[in-house]
Amino acid sequence: MLSTSSDSHYQLKIASFNLFNFIAPPDAFYEFDNIYTQEQWQKKLNWIAKYLKEHQPDVIGFQEVFSPVELEHLTKSCGLDYFTVLDSPQVMDDFIYSKPVVALASRYPIKEAVSVNADKEWATKMGLINQFEFSRKPLRATVELPKLGLCDCYVVHFKSKRPLFDAQEIKLGSDTGSSSKSAASNTGQLLAMEALGQWGSSIQRGSEAVLLRYAMVERRSQTQNPMILMGDFNDTLSDGVLAAITSVDTRIKPQADMGQGAMGDVAHQLGFYRLRDSYDLYQASQYSLSEQARPATHFYFAKGSVLDYILLSSEFDAKNDLSLAEVGRYETYDRHLLNPSFEHDSQSTDHAPVMITLAIRE
């Protein structure tokens, strides 16, 4: 067990939860036969409710939502009185759904909720098409939190690593013969095309990250609200594709005619707009006693990786002069991934929900 923060601090719990195909029967996800039985669906609802009741998050972001009405009913039954979802999943053939959406539930009032759109001008400057869009629209919910006031909470589900297209479904140029050389050429083409599809996915995911960061900075400059970004990033944060969302490497310099204090001003402004990984902030806090490796939130075969994150603005950095709170606890709920029980976990999720506890100064 990780140590908790002092009882003298007001505590607030923030969580991110990939629900893994949350869709009520008789609707199907992706394929016509992917339909839960009533028993399976109830088991999934019970598993999620058990997590919510045991861990008691105050604000929680969800990914892979196909049935938002059912999710709202579930979260409200668990004491989260406020709920928002703005985007809609794509429907094919009346009952087959694709492109799930994100949602947010809160114990405290949601004062405003908007979908975040990619800035078209900056997308074009980046070399993207003018019609560039997020694969799944991020959600910004402005929540009125105790002690902190208005806080902008963002929920994301960045583009997966799945290639943008299936190389084997694309018709190659016609063969001129049936020789092994021709077959080898086709195999080479397929490998190259697969690489193209994977890189296209990386371009989409990385572009989503930096365009979201720009939108968050724009909002921050207008309101000065604290920021929380949570979700399934579908990549490691330190990876080159996503590194820009937290990067502070810069060539920005104070103007030559400004005094010595200008450097401090620039540093302060960079810190004000910076996002930090809550796990790193926890590890740097006085509460962290763990020297173990960071728990994975997802496994691909036997390989684990951290795909789910909660990022925080400077108000939650204990080392910042203007800090209002600090990360007193960091939890990865991974029992169902490491030691699953079919009886209890067969309809759970393929991700580990992550939750942080913020100790807010009185």
Side-chain angles (χ1 to χ4, degrees):
M1 294 287 289
L2 300 177
S3 61
T4 56
S5 56
S6 169
D7 291 337
S8 64
H9 289 162
Y10 187 91
Q11 294 187 346
L12 191 70
K13 296 179 179 180
I14 311 294
S16 180
F17 193 151
N18 183 316
L19 295 170
F20 187 50
N21 298 325
F22 185 87
I23 186 166
D27 292 326
F29 53 94
Y30 303 117
E31 302 289 343
F32 75 93
D33 56 348
N34 287 337
I35 302 174
Y36 295 120
T37 66
Q38 284 297 333
E39 181 182 0
Q40 289 172 327
W41 175 241
Q42 190 58 53
K43 197 170 185 179
K44 189 171 188 69
L45 292 176
N46 292 344
W47 197 93
I48 297 168
K50 186 173 185 290
Y51 174 84
L52 295 176
K53 291 175 181 177
E54 285 185 359
H55 294 266
Q56 293 288 308
D58 296 299
V59 177
I60 181 167
F62 295 103
Q63 303 86 46
E64 293 207 28
V65 179
F66 288 108
S67 299
V69 173
E70 288 78 1
L71 181 59
E72 180 176 9
H73 182 268
L74 175 64
T75 55
K76 287 185 174 179
S77 72
C78 294
L80 296 159
D81 293 334
Y82 302 90
F83 181 88
T84 183
V85 61
L86 298 177
D87 206 3
S88 300
Q90 189 176 80
V91 186
M92 305 177 294
D93 299 328
D94 296 328
F95 72 99
I96 304 174
Y97 283 68
S98 65
K99 294 187 178 180
V101 299
V102 299
L104 181 137
S106 172
R107 213 171 295 278
Y108 303 105
I110 298 173
K111 295 299 185 180
E112 181 186 30
V114 300
S115 292
V116 179
N117 295 304
D119 186 285
K120 304 301 183 185
E121 180 179 354
W122 283 111
T124 302
K125 288 181 184 294
M126 290 166 57
L128 305 172
I129 61 173
N130 182 261
Q131 292 79 27
F132 178 89
E133 294 182 351
F134 291 99
S135 55
R136 308 170 186 91
K137 284 187 178 181
L139 170 68
R140 171 175 60 78
T142 302
V143 183
E144 189 169 31
L145 297 175
K147 311 294 183 180
L148 291 175
L150 296 180
C151 182
D152 289 331
C153 299
Y154 295 81
V155 186
V156 297
H157 190 180
F158 290 141
K159 174 68 178 74
S160 72
K161 288 188 175 181
R162 188 177 297 107
L164 283 183
F165 48 82
D166 187 338
Q168 291 187 310
E169 292 183 355
I170 298 177
K171 187 176 181 180
L172 298 176
S174 59
D175 293 337
T176 58
S178 57
S179 66
S180 60
K181 182 177 179 180
S182 177
S185 175
N186 278 357
T187 299
Q189 282 183 290
L190 287 172
L191 287 172
M193 290 164 61
E194 185 177 61
L196 290 172
Q198 289 173 336
W199 180 241
S201 176
S202 296
I203 292 172
Q204 174 76 27
R205 185 167 58 260
S207 299
E208 289 176 354
V210 293
L211 287 167
L212 176 62
R213 179 178 182 176
Y214 179 79
M216 293 177 70
V217 166
E218 285 286 281
R219 170 71 177 178
R220 176 85 150 158
S221 66
Q222 296 166 4
T223 67
Q224 287 75 55
N225 290 345
M227 300 183 295
I228 299 175
L229 170 60
M230 67 194 88
D232 177 359
F233 286 22
N234 265 317
D235 215 332
T236 56
L237 191 58
S238 58
D239 182 81
V241 173
L242 293 185
I245 200 166
T246 56
S247 172
V248 290
D249 293 337
T250 180
R251 295 183 179 182
I252 297 174
K253 303 293 182 183
Q255 297 178 13
D257 60 346
M258 297 179 71
Q260 183 67 28
M263 188 66 74
D265 291 340
V266 171
H268 172 76
Q269 291 173 22
L270 290 175
F272 183 73
Y273 291 104
R274 184 184 185 186
L275 287 171
R276 297 284 305 277
D277 186 350
S278 59
Y279 180 82
D280 291 341
L281 292 175
Y282 173 70
Q283 289 294 310
S285 74
Q286 61 179 312
Y287 307 119
S288 176
L289 303 176
S290 174
E291 296 182 357
Q292 297 178 349
R294 183 174 188 171
T297 68
H298 184 266
F299 287 87
Y300 184 71
F301 293 104
K303 183 180 180 181
S305 55
V306 180
L307 304 183
D308 303 82
Y309 294 89
I310 301 175
L311 307 186
L312 304 169
S313 58
S314 56
E315 287 85 352
F316 307 101
D317 181 354
K319 296 182 179 179
N320 188 286
D321 292 341
L322 300 179
S323 173
L324 302 175
E326 59 186 312
V327 182
R329 187 179 176 92
Y330 181 97
E331 302 171 77
T332 303
Y333 187 73
D334 56 8
R335 183 182 63 194
H336 61 292
L337 300 179
L338 301 180
N339 187 26
S341 162
F342 180 83
E343 180 182 357
H344 298 104
D345 304 320
S346 61
Q347 302 302 326
S348 56
T349 173
D350 61 346
H351 283 247
V354 294
M355 186 173 76
I356 60 173
T357 301
L358 297 173
I360 303 175
R361 293 183 177 82
E362 296 290 348

